[in-house]
Amino acid sequence: SQQGEEDPQALSIQEGENATMNCSYKTSINNLQWYRQNSGRGLVHLILIRSNEREKHSGRLRVTLDTSKKSSSLLITASRAADTASYFCATGPLSYNQGGKLIFGQGTELSVKP
Amino acid sequence: DAGITQSPRHKVTETGTPVTLRCHQTENHRYMYWYRQDPGHGLRLIHYSYGVKDTDKGEVSDGYSVSRSKTEDFLLTLESATSSQTSVYFCATKGGQPSYEQYFGPGTRLTVT
């Protein structure tokens, strides 16, 4: 069962522009995380936002969370060609006793053209 | 890839043969996970482990088994490989409470012919 749905599925922008990706989920969560995957590589954790937080920043990344709408967005500002990758949201369950299992969305493919 | 290795990195096997994939970590993380990644499906959890000899099923566990005899190693076995198990398999780890983020290995590309 897929928890997260990401939108858009693919995004192509020019270097220097901002990129916004959205994630919607279905059930109550403890936290929401964003990961990046470069082609042919494993996923890399970018940022985590807890359910009691509304916004979080890390460098050029800004994440927002709206638990009433069960949605999150990831904004990458001043994008670079090196940001070209797939980006996945993942939700963490309410109870830590559920083994820390994450449910991943299907991802957004971001292409940043020089 | 955060001290996580997977072996083999690529494998081609025939339908009906057993296959074992290995994940090795040097982080002493308590939790370990096996995912498969397929186009259109994102990552789906196969099995996970919350300690030595402690494992549980994930979303797509049919046809797979796991074992964890040491903290650092988590094995995924396809008992009798089928073409539907052609996929890229990722291992991930997570430390104990209160950490939530997972660390991923480089993946194993498995083709079942």
Side-chain angles (χ1 to χ4, degrees), chain A residues 1 35 37 50 96 99-100 106, chain B residues 33 37 40 59 94 99 102:
Chain A
S1 60
Y35 289 79
Q37 184 181 32
R50 297 177 188 271
Y96 199 86
Q106 295 185 21
Chain B
Y33 308 85
Q37 186 176 32
E59 179 189 352
K94 186 181 77 66
S99 66
Q102 294 186 12

Side-chain angles (χ1 to χ4, degrees), chain B residues 35-106:
Chain B
Y35 295 91
R36 59 178 290 174
Q37 186 176 32
D38 305 288
H41 289 279
L43 274 83
R44 292 180 291 174
L45 181 66
I46 304 171
H47 282 280
Y48 69 102
S49 169
Y50 48 96
V52 173
K53 291 187 169 51
D54 292 323
T55 65
D56 205 349
K57 295 179 180 180
E59 179 189 352
V60 289
S61 59
D62 287 349
Y64 301 95
S65 62
V66 290
S67 66
R68 192 170 179 199
S69 59
K70 298 186 288 185
T71 298
E72 56 266 36
D73 290 326
F74 192 31
L75 303 181
L76 176 71
T77 298
L78 288 65
E79 292 136 12
S80 176
T82 67
S83 58
S84 65
Q85 293 175 313
T86 291
S87 187
V88 181
Y89 291 86
F90 287 98
C91 172
T93 71
K94 186 181 77 66
Q97 203 167 0
S99 66
Y100 293 98
E101 58 266 31
Q102 294 186 12
Y103 299 89
F104 282 78

